[in-house]
Amino acid sequence: MKHFKIQKNSSAVDEIIKMQLEKLPPLTKVEIVVRTVTPYYCINAPKKISKNCKWESKNTFRSNSDGLIDLNTFPSLAGTYSGVYPMGCLTFLIPSKKNLLNKEQKSNKTSFNEFCVFEITALLDGEILDQCRIKRFFVNKNIKHKLVESNTFQGRFFYPENETNLPAILILSGSEGGIEKAQAIAQLIANHGFATLAIGYFGIGNLTKDLSRIPLEIIEDSISFFKSQKMIDSKHISIYGRSKGAEFALLAASYFSEINCVVVNSPSNVVYEGISNKGFPTRTSSWSYRGKNINYFPFSFKTFFLSKITHKDFPLINENSSCEIPVEKINGNILCIASSKDEIWNALQASKRIQKRLAKYNFQHQFNSNYVENAGHMLTIPCQPNSRYKNIDKKLLMNDTYETWNNTVSHFKDNLKQNSYQL
């Protein structure tokens, strides 16, 4: 007998779908086991975990008097998580203890993570009642992609097939280097009706291994690429950056007026010193333009250790510093996303200083903020496990992730005058 009733057998990674079991014995405990059966890319997974590693969740639910279990609205009584959470069986997966170490090197051959297939099993007293499989995709079948390569960056371009006047979004990830995280974000945003270009600007292929003196010309070249594509509405170009990529995005948007919409996730309001691939300061700026260093805040071990002793935020930067990003020059609306528990840098303070500086210079566009209290620096995409924060309620953490992700997509839709295309 078939018991599973799934709204869609194929759905986007960031989409909530209805998942139910029916025709069960009333008021009976049923164990639901979810396993990956194809390679699984998790944006939050530690680098040591291979995409070939198996992920799994096990949770116990009780059917109601009508013999129904709704996996999104019924509480998990025990297992990987407890209580009610939509898509919890997929969101709170755990990697197998037999993790395969990730030996993949950063290169221009970074995997194109298209989808993952999950097997869902319902068991009653250890016996299989029913099984089904669902696919969760990063890119819809209507999304096309191609590699974009230059001397300064590696890119992957995603766009809905047979569409015109598409708003365009540059996607920049953080200090981990490579392109995988930027690619995952670009893929999912493209599903919402945009053309996206994920950019790897260091730590990939033949590019520099250090996050140092990265040329702003990368963004200039990317804008030129968008303008050369017939399906792009070049009047609506946006940029998204997270972590170090948020610093890059704000700086680039202050230089290039073609960018008229900005989303920054866990940003800095200043330019920092560059970082070598060994994690040491480079004594140069993170960014350059026309061969010259952008003014930057230098790293000081003395100040760093002092901040730890005094329990103060590091770095200690005065307002209106010469290394502050001139955000008032940005030609469009800005959304700043930040957590009050950011463990990398004080993104919340940075966002508030951005807002203060914009007010000081009578910024002519809108500044919007989305501040959360549970997540940390790693605010990425919903419906994927995030085990980075062991002491935070993972349901509250995922609530913050849903909120910030939905606001990101809405900001782009509201500000880029999206055409009528919808999946």
Side-chain angles (χ1 to χ4, degrees):
M1 179 184 294
K2 294 292 182 182
H3 297 280
F4 279 109
K5 185 178 181 181
I6 308 295
Q7 181 183 4
K8 294 180 180 180
N9 290 327
S10 181
S11 57
V13 167
D14 60 342
E15 184 178 1
I16 295 176
I17 59 171
K18 292 181 180 180
M19 303 172 66
Q20 297 180 331
L21 289 91
E22 55 186 12
K23 302 176 183 177
L24 298 168
L27 306 176
T28 301
K29 290 182 179 180
V30 175
E31 185 178 38
I32 303 298
V33 179
V34 178
R35 293 189 177 98
T36 58
V37 295
T38 61
Y40 176 59
Y41 175 70
C42 176
I43 195 170
N44 304 310
K47 291 181 180 179
K48 67 180 181 180
I49 298 180
S50 166
K51 288 187 287 293
N52 292 317
C53 174
K54 301 300 182 183
W55 294 67
E56 180 180 86
S57 70
K58 293 182 179 180
N59 293 281
T60 300
F61 297 83
R62 187 190 302 274
S63 61
N64 66 12
S65 58
D66 295 322
L68 175 73
I69 292 175
D70 188 317
L71 296 179
N72 288 349
T73 62
F74 284 30
S76 168
L77 304 179
T80 308
Y81 76 102
S82 60
V84 176
Y85 204 84
M87 309 296 294
C89 292
L90 294 176
T91 300
F92 304 122
L93 294 163
I94 296 174
S96 167
K97 292 182 180 179
K98 299 178 181 180
N99 287 341
L100 298 176
L101 293 182
N102 189 359
K103 298 180 181 179
E104 181 177 300
Q105 301 296 314
K106 292 189 181 81
S107 71
N108 56 3
K109 295 182 180 179
T110 300
S111 300
F112 176 68
N113 302 306
E114 187 175 1
F115 64 85
C116 180
V117 175
F118 299 88
E119 181 178 76
I120 309 176
T121 305
L123 299 105
L124 178 61
D125 296 329
E127 298 293 327
I128 295 177
L129 278 176
D130 194 10
Q131 280 186 326
C132 70
R133 290 190 174 190
I134 65 170
K135 179 189 290 186
R136 298 283 279 178
F137 58 77
F138 280 94
V139 280
N140 184 280
K141 61 182 179 180
N142 295 325
I143 302 297
K144 300 299 178 182
H145 78 282
K146 63 181 179 181
L147 296 177
V148 180
E149 298 187 7
S150 77
N151 293 329
T152 55
F153 74 92
Q154 300 266 351
R156 288 193 173 174
F157 180 47
F158 302 93
Y159 60 96
E161 186 179 21
N162 299 324
E163 294 297 323
T164 59
N165 296 319
L166 287 167
I169 306 170
L170 296 171
I171 308 290
L172 303 166
S173 195
S175 59
E176 71 279 351
I179 198 172
E180 278 197 329
K181 285 182 170 60
Q183 174 182 257
I185 294 166
Q187 288 173 314
L188 288 173
I189 291 179
N191 291 332
H192 291 275
F194 300 98
T196 59
L197 178 62
I199 295 176
Y201 49 95
F202 79 103
I204 182 173
N206 296 322
L207 300 182
T208 176
K209 294 181 180 179
D210 300 328
L211 207 177
S212 177
R213 291 178 56 84
I214 303 299
L216 289 183
E217 284 85 350
I218 288 175
I219 308 301
E220 211 166 23
D221 292 346
S222 301
I223 292 170
S224 295
F225 168 78
F226 277 146
K227 290 181 176 180
S228 71
Q229 304 301 304
K230 293 182 179 179
M231 79 287 285
I232 298 296
D233 176 3
S234 60
K235 293 181 180 179
H236 294 97
I237 295 177
S238 182
I239 194 166
Y240 170 97
R242 61 166 301 277
S243 188
K244 194 67 177 178
E247 179 185 320
F248 193 10
L250 284 171
L251 184 64
S254 73
Y255 270 71
F256 307 118
S257 61
E258 294 94 335
I259 298 173
N260 49 39
C261 176
V262 176
V263 176
V264 284
N265 183 331
S266 306
S268 159
N269 66 311
V270 300
V271 170
Y272 287 124
E273 184 171 345
I275 309 167
S276 75
N277 67 316
K278 302 295 184 182
F280 296 108
T282 60
R283 302 309 178 209
T284 61
S285 179
S286 295
W287 323 106
S288 68
Y289 188 54
R290 296 180 178 173
K292 296 182 179 181
N293 278 328
I294 305 294
N295 285 343
Y296 67 95
F297 181 83
F299 180 85
S300 165
F301 282 105
K302 179 180 179 180
T303 307
F304 173 74
F305 289 121
L306 181 62
S307 71
K308 295 300 181 184
I309 295 171
T310 58
H311 302 289
K312 292 183 179 180
D313 289 325
F314 177 83
L316 305 173
I317 305 173
N318 295 327
E319 292 185 68
N320 304 312
S321 163
S322 62
C323 57
E324 206 167 40
I325 298 170
V327 289
E328 69 277 3
K329 296 180 180 179
I330 292 175
N331 183 36
N333 295 344
I334 302 169
L335 171 64
C336 273
I337 294 167
S339 168
S340 60
K341 294 182 179 178
D342 194 307
E343 74 282 8
I344 301 299
W345 57 28
N346 196 329
L348 181 59
Q349 181 191 69
S351 297
K352 290 181 177 179
R353 286 191 174 183
I354 289 168
Q355 184 177 15
K356 188 174 181 180
R357 182 179 177 107
L358 293 174
K360 175 183 176 181
Y361 286 95
N362 297 313
F363 188 56
Q364 297 301 302
H365 304 281
Q366 292 181 3
F367 173 87
N368 300 292
S369 61
N370 185 181
Y371 301 147
V372 294
E373 298 180 353
N374 301 293
H377 189 75
M378 198 67 179
L379 273 166
T380 52
I381 56 179
C383 289
Q384 287 211 307
N386 189 343
S387 60
R388 179 165 175 158
Y389 306 104
K390 304 295 185 183
N391 298 322
I392 298 176
D393 185 323
K394 54 190 174 184
K395 291 188 291 182
L396 296 177
L397 169 63
M398 197 52 56
N399 285 343
D400 286 355
T401 307
Y402 270 111
E403 178 185 322
T404 54
W405 178 256
N406 290 336
N407 283 339
T408 295
V409 174
S410 295
H411 185 81
F412 288 136
K413 289 183 177 180
D414 292 342
N415 289 280
L416 294 178
K417 301 180 180 179
Q418 184 183 4
N419 62 15
S420 60
Y421 173 80
Q422 292 287 337
L423 292 175

